[in-house]
Amino acid sequence: MSAIPSLLTPGCTVRHPACPDWGLGQVQSVVGDRVTVNFEERGKVVLNLSVIALDLIDTDDR
């Protein structure tokens, strides 16, 4: 499911749909349209949510 920016909060687990090799990421912060995510295989990345829709992962389904 694509994440609606207002649903993203620190601690949420996400995936970048265009970069699945980055692995899962944990949201570190959300400021306006910018979100900082720490990905398993890529590290910390700042993304613009007006450009990319992250996939919100339900950690109960993992």
Side-chain angles (χ1 to χ4, degrees), residues 5 11 19 26-27 40 43:
C19 302
Q26 184 180 53
V27 173
E40 296 169 324

Side-chain angles (χ1 to χ4, degrees), residues 27-61:
V27 173
Q28 303 295 300
S29 66
V30 181
V31 179
D33 284 344
R34 301 218 183 258
V35 60
T36 302
V37 181
N38 190 18
F39 288 97
E40 296 169 324
E41 303 298 327
R42 177 70 168 97
K44 195 175 286 188
V45 179
V46 178
L47 300 166
N48 186 336
L49 294 175
S50 66
V51 176
I52 184 71
L54 296 172
D55 294 331
L56 187 59
I57 306 300
D58 184 354
T59 54
D60 293 336
D61 291 342

Side-chain angles (χ1 to χ4, degrees), residues 4-33:
I4 299 168
S6 63
L7 294 179
L8 290 178
T9 59
C12 287
T13 302
V14 295
R15 179 177 291 127
H16 190 305
C19 302
D21 56 315
W22 289 6
L24 295 178
Q26 184 180 53
V27 173
Q28 303 295 300
S29 66
V30 181
V31 179
D33 284 344

